[in-house]
Amino acid sequence: MYDWNAYRERIQWFEHDRFGMFIHWGLYAIPAKGEWLRSAERVSNEDYQKYFDMFDPVDYHPREWARIAKDAGMKYAVLTAKHHDGFCLFDSAYTGYKATNTKAGRDLVREYLEAFRAEGLKVGLYYSLLDWHHEDYPHYGDPYHPMRENEAYKGRQHNFDGYLEYMHRQVRELCTNYGKLDLLWFDFSYDDMTGERWRATDLVRMARSLQPHVLIDNRLEVAHQSSRLGDEPKEYAGDFVSPEQLLPPEGMRNRKGEPVLWEACVTMNNNWGYHQNDRLFKPPSMIIRKLAECVSKGGNLLLNVGPDARGRIPGESVRILGEVGKWIKKNGESVYGCGAADIAKPDFGRVTLRKRPGGGKTYYFHITENTVGLLPLPGIPKEAIKSVRLLETGAELPCVNDFRTAHYDNVFVHVSDDPVLPDETDTVVAVEL
Ligand code: GLC
């Protein structure tokens, strides 16, 4: 039987915090074409070795990363301890393919964890199930491996059990040597490489025995087959589902129709790993609105940055995150601790809901497109209203009843005489019942 009590308890912080930073960083920052470069360009271990030899992130100051995340209003972070290329940012006893053996000469995961914790953020680690460097990972014929079509690899033996042993040992190291981890983000399952193929029950039991509170994502299963979305989650189902580069149109529900916790992972430009020519960044207004959208649908936003080879978060990301932070400082109350509202989405924007202990509720109406004259509050019964206020100033907003409103049952609020919203990106009106 699935332990629902333990589940409900461990997801509490996550459901409250809503906004996190994803960090994709590794050797691939040097070729600067995103983290799939090895696969896309069929780069051999030998040809990729030069990046290991060059890696020297002299500007890696994780405390700065942590401050950037914190100022943006992010409450947790997830760093790639190992990505698909197999390079470990941590000091693993089971491989030489790690940051400590590069010019960096340090355990970069440990420094990240210490820095982010010191800034009061929750900490997570991403760990790739795929490994294009390990000799026992399937190569020829695998759909993604850089050597998948290289005839020299055809028929070459590999011992997948040996890889699993390695993978489990590394996860044990991460869960043992680094203090409390708040989140583990495994990536990813495909085809028959799913569930018990990873010895997922053992893996999750081990992780939870060492880190009783840790949250785990759902990618030990093929994402669209997630048993978290079925009738009964498997032990390794993961605590939340992880839609990628997409916000679920209506939030997410399991087969019984119950809401399921989710976290959308989204890039700021179009790459996870640093990409020097990808300047297609989402503007701050879009990110702010998408964050509100996630919360209004009961989900989290894990927003990615791809630091460069020197260890810096790209300037454009920093600038955008700064803008997001300004909005959050004024309107964070409508994000943290809030979730999906039980009323329909209004056509001027979205609604997030805070349920207060004792039964009270506050609805946050996010106006992203101003209305003419008055703001209708669809779904809000007039008698139940205790207050209506502009969130960013706390100013009371009057409910209006006049010739314009006479035909309608809706409550109407006067936000401002100015047709331009106080915050053109997302002006929040807090309605307390
Ligand atoms: C993917 C990609 C990857 C990225 C991840 C983030 O599945 O393989 O490179 O780390 O999703 O969600």
Side-chain angles (χ1 to χ4, degrees), residues 80-96:
T80 50
K82 179 192 93 171
H83 204 270
H84 308 336
D85 67 0
F87 177 68
C88 298
L89 292 177
F90 64 107
D91 186 13
S92 170
Y94 304 105
T95 183

Side-chain angles (χ1 to χ4, degrees), residues 37-306:
L37 156 99
R38 268 208 68 183
S39 176
E41 299 187 8
R42 320 279 200 274
V43 182
S44 66
N45 271 337
E46 296 69 35
D47 288 342
Y48 199 64
Q49 179 61 27
K50 66 175 180 222
Y51 302 123
F52 182 89
D53 300 334
M54 282 181 220
F55 189 65
D56 189 15
V58 289
D59 294 329
Y60 175 55
H61 302 298
R63 198 71 189 252
E64 276 171 24
W65 292 6
R67 288 199 192 104
I68 291 166
K70 189 178 177 178
D71 288 345
M74 292 157 153
K75 300 284 188 190
Y76 63 102
V78 180
L79 169 71
T80 50
K82 179 192 93 171
H83 204 270
H84 308 336
D85 67 0
F87 177 68
C88 298
L89 292 177
F90 64 107
D91 186 13
S92 170
Y94 304 105
T95 183
Y97 201 52
K98 55 181 176 181
T100 34
N101 289 344
T102 64
K103 293 189 180 116
R106 290 126 64 202
D107 186 324
L108 304 174
V109 165
R110 184 176 302 287
E111 292 181 13
Y112 147 80
L113 292 168
E114 285 167 2
F116 277 68
R117 287 187 193 120
E119 290 293 331
L121 297 164
K122 293 231 167 12
V123 288
L125 294 175
Y126 168 112
Y127 183 87
S128 173
L129 301 169
L130 288 70
D131 194 316
W132 300 331
H133 183 266
H134 198 285
E135 59 180 9
D136 285 327
Y137 197 84
H139 31 76
Y140 189 83
D142 176 82
Y144 306 114
H145 196 282
M147 297 298 104
R148 59 192 172 278
E149 287 155 348
N150 185 333
E151 296 294 323
Y153 280 74
K154 194 172 184 175
R156 196 186 272 198
Q157 290 306 306
H158 69 275
N159 168 17
F160 189 60
D161 284 338
Y163 173 68
L164 288 182
E165 188 75 9
Y166 171 77
M167 189 261 268
H168 281 233
R169 281 180 168 167
Q170 287 205 321
V171 173
R172 180 180 289 279
E173 284 182 313
L174 292 171
C175 290
T176 307
N177 299 342
Y178 294 90
K180 184 179 177 198
L181 300 179
D182 300 293
L183 206 154
L184 277 174
W185 220 100
F186 294 111
D187 192 39
F188 60 85
S189 293
Y190 56 101
D191 305 334
D192 62 344
M193 304 291 275
T194 181
E196 291 308 355
R197 198 69 208 284
W198 306 118
R199 294 203 198 118
T201 305
D202 285 354
L203 189 69
V204 164
R205 277 190 193 160
M206 179 253 287
R208 291 210 190 285
S209 73
L210 297 164
Q211 297 281 344
H213 301 289
V214 78
L215 287 194
I216 301 179
D217 74 332
N218 69 326
R219 294 195 180 180
L220 285 164
E221 294 180 292
V222 172
H224 65 271
Q225 296 163 0
S226 196
S227 63
R228 173 63 59 199
L229 295 170
D231 296 321
E232 178 78 5
K234 298 222 166 70
E235 198 172 332
Y236 53 78
D239 299 306
F240 57 90
V241 292
S242 55
E244 175 171 332
Q245 302 290 43
L246 179 139
L247 304 191
E250 292 169 41
M252 301 208 62
R253 293 179 179 272
N254 63 17
R255 230 179 354 234
K256 296 185 224 165
E258 299 154 344
V260 166
L261 191 57
W262 54 274
E263 175 197 68
C265 51
V266 174
T267 50
M268 294 184 76
N269 51 3
N270 289 307
N271 280 274
W272 301 99
Y274 180 71
H275 194 304
Q276 79 183 307
N277 298 326
D278 181 355
R279 304 256 155 69
L280 301 178
F281 284 89
K282 297 169 183 68
S285 58
M286 179 175 185
I287 290 173
I288 291 162
R289 289 172 179 173
K290 296 307 158 193
L291 174 61
E293 178 176 342
C294 287
V295 180
S296 79
K297 295 173 174 178
N300 287 22
L301 178 62
L302 186 64
L303 185 65
N304 183 71
V305 296

Side-chain angles (χ1 to χ4, degrees), residues 10 146 373:
R10 70 179 173 257

